[in-house]
Amino acid sequence: MVDRSRRQLFTRRSQPSLPRLPWLKNEAEFTDICFRCERCIKACETNILVKGDGGFPQVDFSQGEGECTFCYQCADVCPEPLFLAQTEQPWATTATINEGCMASNNIECRSCGDMCEPQAIQFQLQVGKVAMPTVSSDDCNGCGACVSGCPVSAITMTRVDANTQ
């Protein structure tokens, strides 16, 4: 009998598009020091932290309330020195809207804009078409509210500068 779950062993894993947690100092150091106690997962007020690869915690915007409120509870409960101060930027990420967006198919939808508290998603009117969403990376805080609000999963969070983590 073949164990299909082991097939992932032979696939190439790419770097996650997001840091595992907000305010994380260093990704490589994180996997060396974190002992997977799950305190951060239990402390997350919006329940977006889940067990990821190797049992390490990571953000999943499809879980819980689907957004990070930047409450800093994940860092507060961690017994290890893995996190930056709360006064620092939590992460350098921004929302990216792909061609699967309903507006790209001329279907009116503004769910992402309605969910975006900092109003980083604006809609540009077009003659004879529905308004197209655009993301201002300067205004986007990377909370992920738009990801969970998108009915067709056309939004992903990506690092603004992969060299910062």
Side-chain angles (χ1 to χ4, degrees):
M1 180 156 209
V2 175
D3 183 2
R4 296 186 191 278
S5 66
R6 298 189 74 191
R7 288 185 181 195
Q8 291 180 1
L9 184 65
F10 299 109
T11 60
R12 180 179 290 185
R13 292 188 182 155
S14 61
Q15 286 290 94
S17 61
L18 280 178
R20 292 183 186 270
L21 301 170
W23 292 284
L24 194 60
K25 286 181 186 176
N26 184 304
E27 182 76 25
E29 189 176 282
F30 173 74
T31 55
D32 289 342
I33 297 175
C34 176
F35 58 92
R36 299 168 276 202
C37 67
E38 298 183 26
R39 289 181 189 172
C40 57
I41 294 172
K42 293 172 187 164
C44 181
E45 68 180 24
T46 57
N47 299 313
I48 60 166
L49 298 182
V50 297
K51 277 179 129 178
D53 286 344
F56 292 102
Q58 70 181 38
V59 173
D60 183 351
F61 292 118
S62 68
Q63 300 296 311
E65 295 176 33
E67 70 179 291
C68 183
T69 60
F70 306 111
C71 65
Y72 203 70
Q73 290 180 19
C74 54
D76 278 341
V77 300
C78 184
E80 302 300 325
L82 295 168
F83 296 91
L84 298 169
Q86 189 173 9
T87 56
E88 299 290 321
Q89 183 178 357
W91 49 36
T93 63
T94 189
T96 304
I97 302 172
N98 65 38
E99 57 276 348
C101 175
M102 291 172 66
S104 297
N105 295 309
N106 213 28
I107 300 169
E108 183 70 35
C109 177
R110 295 186 182 218
S111 297
C112 57
D114 292 342
M115 300 298 290
C116 185
E117 189 173 316
Q119 298 181 345
I121 300 175
Q122 298 293 314
F123 291 84
Q124 295 183 350
L125 299 176
Q126 299 181 3
V127 179
K129 295 182 178 181
V130 301
M132 292 296 294
T134 59
V135 179
S136 167
S137 58
D138 292 336
D139 296 328
C140 181
N141 63 10
C143 71
C146 58
V147 174
S148 62
C150 181
V152 293
S153 302
I155 303 174
T156 56
M157 300 305 292
T158 55
R159 288 183 181 177
V160 174
D161 181 8
N163 296 326
T164 61
Q165 291 295 320

